[in-house]
Amino acid sequence: PGSRNSKWEVTRDALLEALEGLSPQTAVGLLFYPNRSTSNGNQPRPDSPCLDAEDMISIAMLGPDDSQHRRALERAIQRARPSGATPTHIAYRHAFENGMRPFMTSANRFMLLITDGAPTLADGCIGNPPAVVETQPIIDEIQEAADEGVRTFIIGSPGSEENSMTGGDMRPWLSKAAMVGGTAAPNCTENGPNFCH
């Protein structure tokens, strides 16, 4: 039997459950996207029309079950209402450069990218949603993170598998992103049928 919950509600509940299971010594930050309605644009512009960076919760140790940081993350997850076009590259870069890169630690570092749609806004906040933008720059960004020792997990929620305009298969780019991110599933291939993300 199928769930009556939306894709976001299913994802939200999974995130809350995962957060609850993390140890107090785990450090977590969070940035939702899309979190802003964005008009089409063919000329480069600042990131701010595409991404509300003020919504980002900086990385910090989770601490005990009733810690302020855990409560802040839980509140953010519960009140999030993702909507608008999909600025995957902008969101990933911002989270990495302003969250992960400054968080210096000798512990393992991971980025988690969850998407339910193909990227529709490129770097420079350029795009004409729902037209899909080039995905290689996102993969390059994930490779740059990997070069700095940060592995990236890719989760493609329902909706991420298909280009809504052309019906084209979007799973290969997610698969390639997981490969360069150092988190590919065992025995996977970029073009499936056993995808890497």
Side-chain angles (χ1 to χ4, degrees):
S3 170
R4 293 178 187 223
N5 291 339
S6 69
K7 291 184 289 185
W8 165 241
E9 288 169 333
V10 171
T11 303
R12 177 198 64 201
D13 293 349
L15 285 172
L16 288 168
E17 185 178 341
L19 184 62
E20 187 178 330
L22 293 175
S23 79
Q25 293 78 34
T26 303
V28 177
L30 183 66
L31 177 62
F32 290 104
Y33 78 100
N35 61 5
R36 177 161 277 170
S37 294
T38 307
S39 60
N40 294 1
N42 295 318
Q43 297 298 320
R45 49 191 166 160
D47 290 349
S48 55
C50 288
L51 182 73
D52 183 359
E54 298 296 316
D55 270 357
M56 187 168 91
I57 296 178
S58 297
I59 299 173
M61 289 292 191
L62 285 175
D65 290 348
D66 60 349
S67 74
Q68 289 185 356
H69 191 59
R70 280 187 190 269
R71 297 292 84 81
L73 290 164
E74 289 168 0
R75 284 193 302 273
I77 293 168
Q78 288 167 342
R79 74 171 178 255
R81 301 288 181 270
S83 64
T86 311
T88 309
H89 186 185
I90 294 166
Y92 183 92
R93 184 186 65 233
H94 184 85
F96 179 71
E97 290 182 355
N98 299 285
M100 182 61 75
R101 184 176 271 154
F103 190 76
M104 301 307 294
T105 177
S106 59
N108 289 325
R109 296 191 297 164
F110 303 97
M111 296 277 286
L112 172 62
L113 173 64
I114 303 174
T115 184
D116 72 346
T120 58
L121 290 167
D123 193 22
C125 204
I126 296 171
N128 293 294
V132 175
V133 297
E134 175 59 44
T135 57
Q136 187 59 48
I138 305 167
I139 294 168
D140 294 343
E141 201 83 41
I142 292 169
Q143 179 67 65
E144 183 178 336
D147 292 345
E148 294 186 31
V150 177
R151 290 180 279 171
T152 300
F153 285 95
I154 308 291
I155 297 179
S157 295
S160 63
E161 68 277 1
E162 186 176 276
N163 180 324
S164 63
M165 288 186 71
T166 67
D169 193 350
M170 296 303 296
R171 293 173 296 179
W173 94 263
L174 295 169
S175 214
K176 187 173 181 184
M179 292 169 80
V180 302
T183 61
N187 304 313
C188 71
T189 56
E190 182 180 327
N191 294 305
N194 182 23
F195 290 96
C196 300
H197 61 290

